[in-house]
Amino acid sequence: MIPIMIIPKGRFKARFRSGSSKVVLLFVIFLLPSVLGQSDKDDDGDDCSETPFECPKPNGNFADPCECRRFYICNTYVPTKILCPARLRWDDRKKECTYENEAECGPIEAVERDEEKEKIEEAPKCDPEQCQLPYCFCSKDGDEPPVDPESIPQFILLMIDGAVNTNNFHFYQSLLNNTDQEEEKRLKATFFIQNEYCNYYMVERLYTEGHEIALSSVTGRNLQRANASVWRNEFGSLRDILIKYSNVAPEDILGVRAPRLKPGYNEQYQALIEEGFIWDSSVSTVPLETPVWPYTLDYKIPHECRVKSCPTKSFPGLWELPLNSHFVSDDTGGQCPFVDQCVFNYQSSNSVFEWLKEDFLRNYENNRSPYILSLHTNWFLTESQEEGLHKFVDWARTQDDIFFVTGTEFLLWLTDENLDQGSKTSYQSPPLLTKREMSCNTPNSCELSHTESNGVETLRYMKTCRDCPQIYPWLKPVEEENFDGISDEN
Ligand SMILES: *[C@@H]1O[C@H](CO)[C@@H](O)[C@H](O)[C@H]1NC(C)=O
Ligand SMILES: *[C@@H]1O[C@H](CO)[C@@H](O)[C@H](O)[C@H]1NC(C)=O
């Protein structure tokens, strides 16, 4: 009866995604007779619109203020009420009916005006003529490699998020065991440190072994809607803490990842520029058959963001190492930016290994985008997963064109002026920027008072080679936020 209803789901969505107003019109015309005949009782039981709808503008389509399935077509201020088909909702931003879980219910007028202003400042689409390495890198769909993939070494970026402490340090030591390995087969990882319950002595150990220390946050809270000064304080305070208590050289702290992988719109990236960071790894993609390559944020992000709070403005020269979703062809385990968020219940270590390998081959056999393997401590709590990862790493180490590097080491390779003269087996890791030696063999154990976010005074324990401070390391007081450097003794 209603033509639109018999179009298969997938196609329906695809057509509506195209955003053509013709499609919307067609839809409305088909739908009108049946919809207008429907009584209010069918409106999912919501009766809040007692007052008649008033058109905010003479013409156009507008959301009903209290019922997401309903919208109005205004024609010279005369509204006609329309219902989206069953299970669909009116998305007042895209101005179309779409699936319930994707729809942004309206009305969103006030926001719209802001958005129009933002739109003017929005980053333009990639212009490969203008965007040239080493300062800029982009491609139309984000998946074009910088040089012929045949000559690109396959990089694996092991990235671990969270506090480092006695619960997980032994897992990391055992995975990243470089005993008796040749230089080019060394495993390097990148740690996104979270401050709470972190053992600064262990961080120093990882750092001196050649791993990269990057930042998550001090508090671990969701910062998605925080403003730039909150982001600056989280990253700036944590950087100072790691310089101070883990002896990390300031020039080695270059990268960040938003807590819980929730980017903070433009505010976060504004803070990164102001604080002088080089790269970010907070953006994740939807599952893609061809993985995207890292890019600079000079131009519009070239792929669909899995979390909607990606930056939209241009942040020239700031690198993004996006997390491609992990998945395999038969969908076992699901799809996940962090591998520990996929499901491997009852799987043997061999099937975990095969899963990782299949996922990895999408990069290896395709455009050689670096394989970013991100995980939390959780991964190691299941023995078959830990063993499966060890098998994967051992296998990768036997290939002469696969290298384990940190985030910054990868970018040093990508921005090397002789990039086009390299070959896939010729990678040599750059010498460390800073000489790294443990500053002590036995750390101090500190028992410190700390005020929890609910105001309760507690005791916290931490280990560091440095002298114990008076209070637990935390966010700098906001007054000091613009204060340059560290306030007391270095
Ligand atoms: C690292 O590997 C060596 C042998 O290659 C072994 O003796 C040592 O116990 C391992 N260390 C860790 C921390 O697993
Ligand atoms: C940023 O957010 C914090 C916390 O919500 C608030 O106290 C501060 O005034 C805000 N700063 C600016 C510049 O808006």
Side-chain angles (χ1 to χ4, degrees):
M1 264 168 28
I2 310 166
I4 203 81
M5 300 301 249
I6 55 173
I7 293 177
K9 257 190 168 180
R11 229 165 93 211
F12 172 72
K13 195 159 116 188
R15 291 180 66 178
F16 271 75
R17 279 251 173 93
S18 74
S20 127
S21 55
K22 239 193 250 161
V23 178
V24 175
L25 255 183
L26 208 73
F27 161 62
V28 167
I29 290 162
F30 282 143
L31 216 60
L32 271 175
S34 72
V35 167
L36 294 180
Q38 258 170 327
S39 78
D40 266 7
K41 274 206 165 150
D42 295 329
D43 297 7
D44 284 352
D46 193 336
D47 272 335
C48 92
S49 54
E50 302 279 66
T51 48
F53 182 79
E54 282 178 30
C55 288
K57 289 183 193 164
N59 299 302
N61 299 345
F62 302 97
D64 184 281
C66 28
E67 167 53 57
C68 190
R69 197 179 151 191
R70 197 156 51 198
F71 67 101
Y72 296 87
I73 300 176
C74 290
N75 189 347
T76 57
Y77 285 113
V78 180
T80 307
K81 185 165 78 180
I82 309 285
L83 268 188
C84 290
R87 287 188 303 281
L88 299 187
R89 295 291 177 271
W90 176 251
D91 187 313
D92 202 38
R93 192 175 301 281
K94 296 193 197 119
K95 299 287 181 193
E96 64 189 38
C97 291
T98 182
Y99 290 109
E100 195 165 5
N101 57 351
E102 292 174 6
E104 248 188 284
C105 296
I108 40 179
E109 276 174 83
V111 192
E112 213 167 43
R113 251 172 271 131
D114 277 358
E115 281 221 328
E116 268 159 30
K117 208 167 71 200
E118 290 245 312
K119 273 229 166 71
I120 297 167
E121 297 173 26
E122 251 178 36
K125 285 200 173 137
C126 171
D127 178 351
E129 292 292 306
Q130 289 298 314
C131 183
Q132 301 271 337
L133 283 167
Y135 303 109
C136 185
F137 182 62
C138 69
S139 62
K140 185 171 158 286
D141 297 315
D143 54 8
E144 280 168 39
V147 289
D148 179 6
E150 279 299 304
S151 66
I152 300 180
Q154 178 63 56
F155 293 109
I156 298 182
L157 277 57
L158 287 171
M159 294 187 154
I160 300 175
D161 285 47
V164 173
N165 53 41
T166 47
N167 294 332
N168 49 44
F169 188 63
H170 57 287
F171 293 133
Y172 305 155
Q173 289 292 88
S174 151
L175 175 68
L176 304 169
N177 189 345
N178 286 318
T179 312
D180 303 329
Q181 291 290 332
E182 293 163 45
E183 185 56 34
E184 62 266 31
K185 292 291 160 196
R186 285 180 70 83
L187 297 175
K188 305 275 195 68
T190 307
F191 289 86
F192 296 92
I193 301 295
Q194 198 203 293
N195 185 60
E196 279 216 90
Y197 304 106
C198 191
N199 182 318
Y200 305 104
Y201 167 74
M202 289 173 175
V203 172
E204 186 171 343
R205 293 265 303 270
L206 293 168
Y207 172 66
T208 54
E209 284 159 18
H211 305 299
E212 178 163 358
I213 304 304
L215 307 180
S216 177
S217 72
V218 172
T219 60
R221 64 196 158 136
N222 181 351
L223 297 173
Q224 194 170 21
R225 300 203 171 267
N227 60 33
S229 72
V230 170
W231 280 101
R232 274 203 310 273
N233 193 25
E234 287 272 358
F235 289 143
S237 303
L238 182 54
R239 174 162 57 186
D240 288 353
I241 289 168
L242 293 171
I243 292 169
K244 208 162 164 183
Y245 299 110
S246 298
N247 286 300
V248 182
E251 63 271 26
D252 288 340
I253 304 181
L254 300 171
V256 306
R257 175 173 287 166
R260 308 178 195 189
L261 214 57
K262 299 242 185 287
Y265 297 89
N266 292 317
E267 299 289 323
Q268 178 193 343
Y269 296 84
Q270 186 55 41
L272 295 186
I273 295 275
E274 287 169 12
E275 288 288 317
F277 290 101
I278 303 295
W279 61 269
D280 171 73
S281 183
S282 310
V283 168
S284 49
T285 74
V286 297
L288 296 167
E289 277 308 323
T290 308
V292 294
W293 263 79
Y295 45 84
T296 54
L297 291 167
D298 296 58
Y299 295 93
K300 195 173 153 64
I301 290 181
H303 57 83
E304 189 178 337
C305 287
R306 203 184 53 91
V307 178
K308 300 294 168 211
S309 49
C310 287
T312 53
K313 293 185 189 173
S314 169
F315 297 95
L318 186 62
W319 285 92
E320 180 61 42
L321 304 179
L323 278 69
N324 284 292
S325 273
H326 298 284
F327 65 99
V328 293
S329 53
D330 70 0
D331 274 341
T332 47
Q335 305 159 338
C336 51
F338 284 100
V339 278
D340 54 295
Q341 288 169 340
C342 276
V343 183
F344 300 95
N345 290 345
Y346 313 115
Q347 294 218 29
S348 67
S349 62
N350 266 331
S351 45
V352 172
F353 165 52
E354 293 298 338
W355 194 99
L356 290 171
K357 196 168 153 189
E358 180 183 336
D359 181 49
F360 166 78
L361 291 179
R362 226 178 6 258
N363 299 52
Y364 190 54
E365 292 174 346
N366 204 332
N367 62 3
R368 297 240 160 173
S369 165
Y371 184 62
I372 296 184
L373 191 59
S374 293
L375 37 87
H376 304 89
T377 300
N378 268 353
W379 175 268
F380 298 91
L381 301 182
T382 309
E383 211 175 297
S384 59
Q385 291 180 200
E386 186 188 13
E387 283 176 17
L389 179 59
H390 280 240
K391 285 181 185 186
F392 173 73
V393 163
D394 290 343
W395 167 78
R397 262 180 169 171
T398 62
Q399 312 297 309
D400 62 2
D401 57 351
I402 300 181
F403 303 90
F404 289 83
V405 298
T406 71
T408 295
E409 284 173 342
F410 166 74
L411 289 175
L412 286 172
W413 170 83
L414 181 59
T415 53
D416 189 309
E417 55 184 11
N418 296 320
L419 177 67
D420 53 351
Q421 289 150 42
S423 78
K424 66 179 182 180
T425 56
S426 68
Y427 176 74
Q428 298 210 309
S429 67
L432 295 181
L433 299 175
T434 324
K435 192 162 185 276
R436 300 178 184 177
E437 267 170 28
M438 281 305 290
S439 58
C440 71
N441 292 320
T442 317
N444 290 315
S445 291
C446 316
E447 186 186 85
L448 305 170
S449 70
H450 175 60
T451 312
E452 301 286 342
S453 54
N454 59 9
V456 176
E457 289 283 325
T458 52
L459 282 180
R460 288 287 172 96
Y461 301 87
M462 63 169 254
K463 290 197 177 189
T464 174
C465 283
R466 292 289 182 93
D467 291 339
C468 290
Q470 295 297 312
I471 53 165
Y472 190 65
W474 202 247
L475 293 175
K476 284 181 276 191
V478 176
E479 305 85 76
E480 278 181 47
E481 203 213 313
N482 290 326
F483 193 85
D484 227 356
I486 305 164
S487 41
D488 42 24
E489 96 292 345
N490 60 41

